Amino acid sequence: MSTISLERITIEPQTKVTACVIWLHGLGDSGAGFAPVVPALGLPQDHSIRFIFPHAPEQAVTINQGYIMRAWYDIKSMDLHNRADMQGVLESEVSVKALIQEQIDSGIPADRIVLAGFSQGGVMSLFTGLRYPEKLAGIMALSCYLPTADKLPENLSVANLSTSILQHHGEQDDVVPVSSGKMANELLNDAGYKAEWKTYQMPHSVLPEQLHDIAKWLSSVLL
């Protein structure tokens, strides 16, 4: 499986880098869609976190009449149990793992790296993080689901069993039903993971109030 080196937007801190957040966007978006959250998080000015917002490759998406758009994998149907093209998920996992490895090679240990994502990007952060062979600082999965629907992915790594997992979802989400996020949360907690769950009065989006909670969580796992 060949690795595509992902183009990305990188936002460096004002001080020496000691940690990294890799934040994956949703279907049809790009890294530019989430880059503005960095100042909005209101982290301390002297924080030492590098933020990386990669762009997914462009591909045809079945549920969008085959239109070419940025996507981490094809979405074949609206049915949660048959939604994610697993071959595409596995290919994107390779690219995301390569991004993590780049950061490790630059001197940031895995346990100082947070894997984050929204919607499709959240699916990828959850899937990749659960299977990643080294302990990460945290996994953030916003408005998303498990690509394996009602079961946990195969080949889970014990390395991240005690890693902090943050799951947020909108109660009015008409793109990814809140029940699918809750199902993922229950599967994780039943398996002994530390998965925090919170819902917000919002559709398939991100709220300022939520960014405050994200900043608090990021501070707890990285600062």
Side-chain angles (χ1 to χ4, degrees):
M1 209 179 283
S2 63
T3 308
I4 300 167
S5 181
L6 298 169
E7 294 177 12
R8 81 290 303 253
I9 292 169
T10 303
I11 300 176
E12 299 285 2
Q14 293 174 11
T15 57
K16 183 181 181 330
V17 176
T18 65
C20 180
V21 174
I22 298 170
W23 196 315
L24 311 174
H25 64 76
L27 178 68
D29 198 0
S30 73
F34 272 98
V37 304
V38 178
L41 288 169
L43 294 168
Q45 282 214 301
D46 62 350
H47 80 78
S48 56
I49 305 166
R50 169 185 291 143
F51 283 84
I52 296 177
F53 299 93
H55 308 308
E58 294 190 332
Q59 60 176 289
V61 176
T62 304
I63 59 155
N64 289 345
Q65 289 80 47
Y67 282 129
I68 305 283
M69 60 183 64
R70 291 197 182 277
W72 297 109
Y73 52 86
D74 187 20
I75 296 180
K76 299 178 293 182
S77 93
M78 290 310 290
D79 169 22
L80 180 68
H81 294 268
N82 191 36
R83 180 176 283 194
D85 167 40
M86 283 309 297
Q87 182 60 33
V89 170
L90 291 167
E91 285 174 11
S92 280
E93 181 190 30
V94 172
S95 297
V96 174
K97 283 170 75 174
L99 260 186
I100 297 171
Q101 190 58 48
E102 269 183 43
Q103 295 309 303
I104 293 171
D105 293 345
S106 80
I108 300 173
D111 65 3
R112 297 285 295 151
I113 297 172
V114 165
L115 201 48
F118 173 80
S119 197
Q120 253 204 359
V123 172
M124 287 310 310
S125 72
L126 203 48
F127 183 81
T128 306
L130 293 174
R131 288 158 46 99
Y132 197 71
E134 294 180 66
K135 180 169 171 54
L136 298 166
I139 300 165
M140 183 167 72
L142 308 177
S143 304
C144 66
Y145 52 93
L146 280 166
T148 44
D150 58 355
K151 58 184 187 293
L152 290 172
E154 294 175 358
N155 303 320
L156 294 172
S157 164
V158 294
N160 286 296
L161 189 58
S162 64
T163 297
S164 178
I165 301 173
L166 183 71
Q167 289 178 273
H168 285 174
H169 218 109
E171 289 173 20
Q172 289 89 38
D173 195 328
D174 59 355
V175 178
V176 177
V178 68
S179 58
S180 62
K182 186 65 179 161
M183 183 195 295
N185 179 259
E186 287 168 358
L187 286 167
L188 288 165
N189 283 319
D190 288 349
Y193 286 90
K194 293 180 179 170
E196 186 185 324
W197 171 259
K198 187 168 182 182
T199 59
Y200 297 83
Q201 291 294 324
M202 64 178 183
H204 194 62
S205 60
V206 175
L207 281 181
E209 172 203 346
Q210 183 189 3
L211 290 179
H212 173 77
D213 293 341
I214 288 169
K216 219 162 102 176
W217 177 79
L218 280 176
S219 297
S220 73
V221 297
L222 288 180
L223 299 181

PDB file of all heavy atoms in Angstrom, residues 176-196:
ATOM      1  N   VAL A 176     -24.396  12.909  10.531  1.00  0.00           N
ATOM      2  CA  VAL A 176     -23.963  11.715  11.275  1.00  0.00           C
ATOM      3  C   VAL A 176     -24.852  11.630  12.513  1.00  0.00           C
ATOM      4  O   VAL A 176     -24.730  12.443  13.429  1.00  0.00           O
ATOM      5  CB  VAL A 176     -22.474  11.836  11.698  1.00  0.00           C
ATOM      6  CG1 VAL A 176     -22.064  10.625  12.528  1.00  0.00           C
ATOM      7  CG2 VAL A 176     -21.576  11.956  10.468  1.00  0.00           C
ATOM      8  N   PRO A 177     -25.795  10.685  12.553  1.00  0.00           N
ATOM      9  CA  PRO A 177     -26.729  10.610  13.679  1.00  0.00           C
ATOM     10  C   PRO A 177     -25.988  10.514  15.014  1.00  0.00           C
ATOM     11  O   PRO A 177     -24.975   9.814  15.121  1.00  0.00           O
ATOM     12  CB  PRO A 177     -27.511   9.318  13.414  1.00  0.00           C
ATOM     13  CG  PRO A 177     -27.314   9.017  11.967  1.00  0.00           C
ATOM     14  CD  PRO A 177     -25.995   9.600  11.581  1.00  0.00           C
ATOM     15  N   VAL A 178     -26.501  11.227  16.005  1.00  0.00           N
ATOM     16  CA  VAL A 178     -25.867  11.225  17.325  1.00  0.00           C
ATOM     17  C   VAL A 178     -25.799   9.802  17.873  1.00  0.00           C
ATOM     18  O   VAL A 178     -24.865   9.441  18.602  1.00  0.00           O
ATOM     19  CB  VAL A 178     -26.607  12.195  18.281  1.00  0.00           C
ATOM     20  CG1 VAL A 178     -27.998  11.693  18.627  1.00  0.00           C
ATOM     21  CG2 VAL A 178     -25.787  12.460  19.541  1.00  0.00           C
ATOM     22  N   SER A 179     -26.744   8.964  17.484  1.00  0.00           N
ATOM     23  CA  SER A 179     -26.754   7.573  17.963  1.00  0.00           C
ATOM     24  C   SER A 179     -25.519   6.799  17.515  1.00  0.00           C
ATOM     25  O   SER A 179     -25.047   5.905  18.225  1.00  0.00           O
ATOM     26  CB  SER A 179     -28.015   6.851  17.471  1.00  0.00           C
ATOM     27  OG  SER A 179     -28.072   6.892  16.053  1.00  0.00           O
ATOM     28  N   SER A 180     -24.974   7.157  16.350  1.00  0.00           N
ATOM     29  CA  SER A 180     -23.801   6.427  15.852  1.00  0.00           C
ATOM     30  C   SER A 180     -22.548   6.811  16.643  1.00  0.00           C
ATOM     31  O   SER A 180     -21.668   5.977  16.886  1.00  0.00           O
ATOM     32  CB  SER A 180     -23.590   6.676  14.359  1.00  0.00           C
ATOM     33  OG  SER A 180     -23.352   8.044  14.094  1.00  0.00           O
ATOM     34  N   GLY A 181     -22.472   8.071  17.060  1.00  0.00           N
ATOM     35  CA  GLY A 181     -21.367   8.490  17.923  1.00  0.00           C
ATOM     36  C   GLY A 181     -21.478   7.850  19.292  1.00  0.00           C
ATOM     37  O   GLY A 181     -20.489   7.392  19.867  1.00  0.00           O
ATOM     38  N   LYS A 182     -22.713   7.803  19.812  1.00  0.00           N
ATOM     39  CA  LYS A 182     -22.960   7.204  21.132  1.00  0.00           C
ATOM     40  C   LYS A 182     -22.637   5.711  21.108  1.00  0.00           C
ATOM     41  O   LYS A 182     -22.084   5.162  22.075  1.00  0.00           O
ATOM     42  CB  LYS A 182     -24.420   7.450  21.533  1.00  0.00           C
ATOM     43  CG  LYS A 182     -24.766   7.008  22.942  1.00  0.00           C
ATOM     44  CD  LYS A 182     -24.023   7.817  23.984  1.00  0.00           C
ATOM     45  CE  LYS A 182     -24.394   7.382  25.403  1.00  0.00           C
ATOM     46  NZ  LYS A 182     -23.384   7.809  26.386  1.00  0.00           N
ATOM     47  N   MET A 183     -22.969   5.053  20.009  1.00  0.00           N
ATOM     48  CA  MET A 183     -22.667   3.627  19.883  1.00  0.00           C
ATOM     49  C   MET A 183     -21.159   3.391  19.977  1.00  0.00           C
ATOM     50  O   MET A 183     -20.693   2.486  20.673  1.00  0.00           O
ATOM     51  CB  MET A 183     -23.178   3.081  18.539  1.00  0.00           C
ATOM     52  CG  MET A 183     -22.967   1.586  18.362  1.00  0.00           C
ATOM     53  SD  MET A 183     -23.168   1.062  16.636  1.00  0.00           S
ATOM     54  CE  MET A 183     -24.888   1.396  16.341  1.00  0.00           C
ATOM     55  N   ALA A 184     -20.388   4.234  19.293  1.00  0.00           N
ATOM     56  CA  ALA A 184     -18.928   4.132  19.344  1.00  0.00           C
ATOM     57  C   ALA A 184     -18.440   4.332  20.780  1.00  0.00           C
ATOM     58  O   ALA A 184     -17.581   3.580  21.263  1.00  0.00           O
ATOM     59  CB  ALA A 184     -18.287   5.161  18.417  1.00  0.00           C
ATOM     60  N   ASN A 185     -19.013   5.323  21.471  1.00  0.00           N
ATOM     61  CA  ASN A 185     -18.610   5.614  22.844  1.00  0.00           C
ATOM     62  C   ASN A 185     -18.886   4.428  23.768  1.00  0.00           C
ATOM     63  O   ASN A 185     -18.050   4.062  24.603  1.00  0.00           O
ATOM     64  CB  ASN A 185     -19.345   6.863  23.336  1.00  0.00           C
ATOM     65  CG  ASN A 185     -18.990   7.217  24.765  1.00  0.00           C
ATOM     66  OD1 ASN A 185     -19.752   6.931  25.682  1.00  0.00           O
ATOM     67  ND2 ASN A 185     -17.829   7.805  24.974  1.00  0.00           N
ATOM     68  N   GLU A 186     -20.061   3.813  23.607  1.00  0.00           N
ATOM     69  CA  GLU A 186     -20.418   2.680  24.465  1.00  0.00           C
ATOM     70  C   GLU A 186     -19.512   1.480  24.193  1.00  0.00           C
ATOM     71  O   GLU A 186     -19.085   0.787  25.123  1.00  0.00           O
ATOM     72  CB  GLU A 186     -21.897   2.318  24.267  1.00  0.00           C
ATOM     73  CG  GLU A 186     -22.815   3.352  24.911  1.00  0.00           C
ATOM     74  CD  GLU A 186     -24.278   3.208  24.507  1.00  0.00           C
ATOM     75  OE1 GLU A 186     -24.589   2.317  23.685  1.00  0.00           O
ATOM     76  OE2 GLU A 186     -25.103   3.991  25.016  1.00  0.00           O
ATOM     77  N   LEU A 187     -19.196   1.245  22.920  1.00  0.00           N
ATOM     78  CA  LEU A 187     -18.291   0.147  22.570  1.00  0.00           C
ATOM     79  C   LEU A 187     -16.917   0.366  23.203  1.00  0.00           C
ATOM     80  O   LEU A 187     -16.304  -0.560  23.736  1.00  0.00           O
ATOM     81  CB  LEU A 187     -18.142   0.036  21.047  1.00  0.00           C
ATOM     82  CG  LEU A 187     -19.324  -0.556  20.276  1.00  0.00           C
ATOM     83  CD1 LEU A 187     -19.159  -0.300  18.783  1.00  0.00           C
ATOM     84  CD2 LEU A 187     -19.443  -2.057  20.527  1.00  0.00           C
ATOM     85  N   LEU A 188     -16.439   1.612  23.155  1.00  0.00           N
ATOM     86  CA  LEU A 188     -15.129   1.936  23.719  1.00  0.00           C
ATOM     87  C   LEU A 188     -15.111   1.745  25.233  1.00  0.00           C
ATOM     88  O   LEU A 188     -14.217   1.093  25.782  1.00  0.00           O
ATOM     89  CB  LEU A 188     -14.745   3.383  23.369  1.00  0.00           C
ATOM     90  CG  LEU A 188     -14.380   3.636  21.907  1.00  0.00           C
ATOM     91  CD1 LEU A 188     -14.374   5.130  21.615  1.00  0.00           C
ATOM     92  CD2 LEU A 188     -13.022   3.025  21.570  1.00  0.00           C
ATOM     93  N   ASN A 189     -16.124   2.294  25.896  1.00  0.00           N
ATOM     94  CA  ASN A 189     -16.154   2.189  27.355  1.00  0.00           C
ATOM     95  C   ASN A 189     -16.354   0.747  27.824  1.00  0.00           C
ATOM     96  O   ASN A 189     -15.753   0.320  28.805  1.00  0.00           O
ATOM     97  CB  ASN A 189     -17.213   3.128  27.940  1.00  0.00           C
ATOM     98  CG  ASN A 189     -16.745   4.575  27.954  1.00  0.00           C
ATOM     99  OD1 ASN A 189     -15.593   4.862  28.265  1.00  0.00           O
ATOM    100  ND2 ASN A 189     -17.615   5.499  27.591  1.00  0.00           N
ATOM    101  N   ASP A 190     -17.164  -0.009  27.093  1.00  0.00           N
ATOM    102  CA  ASP A 190     -17.366  -1.422  27.440  1.00  0.00           C
ATOM    103  C   ASP A 190     -16.066  -2.215  27.319  1.00  0.00           C
ATOM    104  O   ASP A 190     -15.860  -3.209  28.010  1.00  0.00           O
ATOM    105  CB  ASP A 190     -18.443  -2.065  26.540  1.00  0.00           C
ATOM    106  CG  ASP A 190     -19.845  -1.568  26.877  1.00  0.00           C
ATOM    107  OD1 ASP A 190     -19.996  -0.894  27.921  1.00  0.00           O
ATOM    108  OD2 ASP A 190     -20.780  -1.835  26.093  1.00  0.00           O
ATOM    109  N   ALA A 191     -15.185  -1.747  26.410  1.00  0.00           N
ATOM    110  CA  ALA A 191     -13.905  -2.444  26.198  1.00  0.00           C
ATOM    111  C   ALA A 191     -12.803  -1.923  27.121  1.00  0.00           C
ATOM    112  O   ALA A 191     -11.650  -2.352  27.028  1.00  0.00           O
ATOM    113  CB  ALA A 191     -13.479  -2.306  24.734  1.00  0.00           C
ATOM    114  N   GLY A 192     -13.154  -0.975  28.009  1.00  0.00           N
ATOM    115  CA  GLY A 192     -12.185  -0.495  28.989  1.00  0.00           C
ATOM    116  C   GLY A 192     -11.436   0.765  28.606  1.00  0.00           C
ATOM    117  O   GLY A 192     -10.497   1.178  29.302  1.00  0.00           O
ATOM    118  N   TYR A 193     -11.824   1.397  27.488  1.00  0.00           N
ATOM    119  CA  TYR A 193     -11.179   2.660  27.083  1.00  0.00           C
ATOM    120  C   TYR A 193     -11.705   3.811  27.928  1.00  0.00           C
ATOM    121  O   TYR A 193     -12.795   3.727  28.493  1.00  0.00           O
ATOM    122  CB  TYR A 193     -11.447   2.945  25.603  1.00  0.00           C
ATOM    123  CG  TYR A 193     -10.651   2.074  24.670  1.00  0.00           C
ATOM    124  CD1 TYR A 193     -11.166   0.856  24.231  1.00  0.00           C
ATOM    125  CD2 TYR A 193      -9.390   2.451  24.227  1.00  0.00           C
ATOM    126  CE1 TYR A 193     -10.435   0.026  23.381  1.00  0.00           C
ATOM    127  CE2 TYR A 193      -8.649   1.632  23.372  1.00  0.00           C
ATOM    128  CZ  TYR A 193      -9.182   0.430  22.956  1.00  0.00           C
ATOM    129  OH  TYR A 193      -8.460  -0.379  22.129  1.00  0.00           O
ATOM    130  N   LYS A 194     -10.916   4.899  27.974  1.00  0.00           N
ATOM    131  CA  LYS A 194     -11.334   6.100  28.707  1.00  0.00           C
ATOM    132  C   LYS A 194     -11.911   7.096  27.711  1.00  0.00           C
ATOM    133  O   LYS A 194     -11.230   8.016  27.264  1.00  0.00           O
ATOM    134  CB  LYS A 194     -10.133   6.721  29.425  1.00  0.00           C
ATOM    135  CG  LYS A 194      -9.581   5.863  30.563  1.00  0.00           C
ATOM    136  CD  LYS A 194      -8.392   6.549  31.212  1.00  0.00           C
ATOM    137  CE  LYS A 194      -7.836   5.735  32.364  1.00  0.00           C
ATOM    138  NZ  LYS A 194      -6.549   6.275  32.834  1.00  0.00           N
ATOM    139  N   ALA A 195     -13.143   6.882  27.329  1.00  0.00           N
ATOM    140  CA  ALA A 195     -13.769   7.718  26.295  1.00  0.00           C
ATOM    141  C   ALA A 195     -14.805   8.645  26.914  1.00  0.00           C
ATOM    142  O   ALA A 195     -15.827   8.207  27.432  1.00  0.00           O
ATOM    143  CB  ALA A 195     -14.407   6.829  25.231  1.00  0.00           C
ATOM    144  N   GLU A 196     -14.512   9.942  26.852  1.00  0.00           N
ATOM    145  CA  GLU A 196     -15.409  10.968  27.393  1.00  0.00           C
ATOM    146  C   GLU A 196     -16.426  11.336  26.311  1.00  0.00           C
ATOM    147  O   GLU A 196     -16.070  11.476  25.140  1.00  0.00           O
ATOM    148  CB  GLU A 196     -14.542  12.175  27.751  1.00  0.00           C
ATOM    149  CG  GLU A 196     -15.244  13.304  28.452  1.00  0.00           C
ATOM    150  CD  GLU A 196     -14.310  14.504  28.660  1.00  0.00           C
ATOM    151  OE1 GLU A 196     -13.103  14.315  28.915  1.00  0.00           O
ATOM    152  OE2 GLU A 196     -14.808  15.634  28.526  1.00  0.00           O
TER     153      GLU A 196
END
